[in-house]
Amino acid sequence: MHAFDKCSKLWKKAGKPKSSEIILEVLNHTLSYPGQTRWNSYFDSISQILKEKHKLPTLFQRLDLVGFKETEVQYLEEYVMVMSPLAATLDFLQGQNMNYYGYLLPSIISLKNKLEKLTVENFSYGGQVLLEAILKGINKRFLSILTLHERDAVFAAVLCPQFKLRWFQCISSSNCTIENIKHDIVKTGSRELSCRDDFDEKSSPPLAPLEVDDNFFDFNDNNENEETVSTKVKNNHKLELELIKYLDDKRKNFEMLNDYPLLKKLSLKFNTCLPSSAAVERMFSFASIVNSPRRNALSDDNFEMLVLLKANYTYQ
């Protein structure tokens, strides 16, 4: 914990004018410090410090602070290495552009894959303990999703053209099969569309092109030689025909759903999330100043005067 304490002292110095000038002079930029409204601000702030680790001895000396030991730097580097996939996933999922529900299941699977690949690293300063704790937390918190019991999350992921069933090979402990998933999509889709009387293919506007960064996701497939999941058509059901063609289609953009009108309606249904208040909260957040005295706050004398006036009014 001494490493984090030294980081805290450095952040406190960054908040003072004279010390901030020294930091700017040595590093050629200011230091960001953790905020109370951003999940990854602690990770981002430590990462920024480590990027300048060669300048840190000079900086600590100029600020009259005790510098990092070599073991403390290695400890922070292990922390950043382990937390990096988690921080990136959190940033991705709380973004304002790629916020479809179908991204949740692939993101969690991809995060788990990235963390499991770190288990081969030779950690010496607590990285292994942190890694095991994160993996245990993910398996516990998202058990229903990872075991495919959360069917809406499964349907949403399959109906995202970028993923379809690429992620399925990463599911190890599940009694569900690809045929089960396809059968459930057809069954649920037929019921939903018939109840809403949505078989009119001209009732929804075309989807606009959407650029998606596929390098973020890790399904151990290297994006090559994707295995086809098509099977023989059991009946002439139009939705089933669309699903088979859709799963065989190699395109990954949302615009392709315009060619599959029934699946597009289902995709919009399962991938539409409730609007998030995060953007508004960031704009109007009080964060740590919520308990600070404000200019419009009542002083003790004014408060006592109001109490006396109220008491006098009540007595009259």
Side-chain angles (χ1 to χ4, degrees):
M1 291 300 176
H2 293 295
F4 291 137
D5 291 339
K6 292 177 181 179
C7 289
S8 298
K9 292 178 181 179
L10 191 58
W11 292 325
K12 289 180 181 178
K13 288 285 187 179
K16 298 179 180 180
K18 292 184 178 180
S19 302
S20 181
E21 292 178 2
I22 297 175
I23 294 173
L24 182 60
E25 180 183 345
V26 175
L27 303 181
N28 295 323
H29 61 78
T30 57
L31 281 179
S32 61
Y33 39 88
Q36 298 186 14
T37 57
R38 293 185 63 246
W39 292 345
N40 295 330
S41 61
Y42 201 78
F43 165 83
D44 293 335
S45 299
I46 292 178
S47 299
Q48 186 188 39
I49 291 175
L50 289 177
K51 288 179 181 179
E52 304 290 353
K53 67 179 182 179
H54 298 298
K55 299 179 182 179
L56 290 179
T58 303
L59 179 61
F60 276 101
Q61 185 179 4
R62 293 284 302 276
L63 294 174
D64 195 24
L65 293 174
V66 179
F68 289 121
K69 299 178 182 178
E70 183 62 28
T71 54
E72 292 173 340
V73 173
Q74 293 176 4
Y75 173 81
L76 292 177
E77 288 176 339
E78 289 189 5
Y79 168 83
V80 169
M81 182 186 296
V82 174
M83 290 295 295
S84 181
L86 178 60
T89 303
L90 288 174
D91 283 337
F92 179 83
L93 289 176
Q94 68 178 345
Q96 299 182 26
N97 296 325
M98 312 306 298
N99 55 356
Y100 297 106
Y101 187 41
Y103 281 84
L104 179 60
L105 173 59
S107 295
I108 294 173
I109 293 175
S110 183
L111 169 60
K112 187 177 177 183
N113 277 350
K114 293 175 182 177
L115 292 173
E116 288 177 346
K117 289 179 179 179
L118 291 177
T119 56
V120 299
E121 297 289 337
N122 294 322
F123 294 111
S124 303
Y125 299 97
Q128 187 66 35
V129 176
L130 178 60
L131 179 60
E132 292 175 357
I134 295 175
L135 283 171
K136 182 178 179 181
I138 291 173
N139 290 328
K140 180 180 179 180
R141 174 64 179 82
F142 299 105
L143 178 64
S144 61
I145 292 180
L146 292 173
T147 55
L148 306 186
H149 285 91
E150 194 70 33
R151 303 304 276 177
D152 284 359
V154 175
F155 295 162
V158 174
L159 295 174
C160 275
Q162 184 179 3
F163 309 119
K164 297 176 184 173
L165 285 164
R166 286 171 53 198
W167 48 267
F168 186 82
Q169 61 182 342
C170 301
I171 301 295
S172 56
S173 58
S174 174
N175 295 324
C176 183
T177 64
I178 288 179
E179 293 301 323
N180 294 144
I181 294 175
K182 293 196 296 183
H183 177 269
D184 290 347
I185 289 177
V186 172
K187 181 179 179 181
T188 303
S190 299
R191 183 174 63 251
E192 290 289 337
L193 294 176
S194 61
C195 290
R196 294 168 53 195
D197 196 21
D198 270 351
F199 278 100
D200 182 8
E201 299 180 5
K202 300 180 181 179
S203 62
S204 59
L207 295 175
L210 182 63
E211 294 295 331
V212 179
D213 182 14
D214 202 48
N215 294 326
F216 174 79
F217 299 95
D218 184 356
F219 304 126
N220 298 325
D221 58 356
N222 296 322
N223 297 329
E224 297 178 356
N225 300 324
E226 293 182 17
E227 182 180 358
T228 180
V229 292
S230 62
T231 56
K232 296 181 179 179
V233 182
K234 296 180 181 179
N235 52 53
N236 293 325
H237 199 289
K238 193 171 184 179
L239 182 58
E240 186 174 0
L241 285 171
E242 276 197 11
L243 181 61
I244 293 174
K245 293 179 181 179
Y246 163 79
L247 293 175
D248 281 337
D249 198 325
K250 300 302 181 182
R251 291 177 293 174
K252 297 181 180 179
N253 57 334
F254 267 89
E255 190 179 9
M256 68 167 288
L257 286 173
N258 293 324
D259 297 335
Y260 306 96
L262 300 181
L263 290 180
K264 183 176 78 171
K265 297 177 189 298
L266 290 180
S267 180
L268 292 175
K269 170 183 171 54
F270 288 109
N271 279 290
T272 302
C273 301
L274 293 175
S276 172
S277 62
V280 178
E281 290 173 357
R282 282 195 291 268
M283 182 178 296
F284 297 101
S285 174
F286 287 96
S288 59
I289 65 174
V290 69
N291 293 322
S292 302
R294 312 302 295 159
R295 289 183 178 180
N296 61 346
L298 291 172
S299 64
D300 293 339
D301 294 338
N302 291 338
F303 181 75
E304 292 179 2
M305 182 62 71
L306 284 177
V307 172
L308 290 174
L309 288 173
K310 182 178 180 181
N312 186 39
Y313 177 80
T314 305
Y315 175 76
Q316 291 179 352

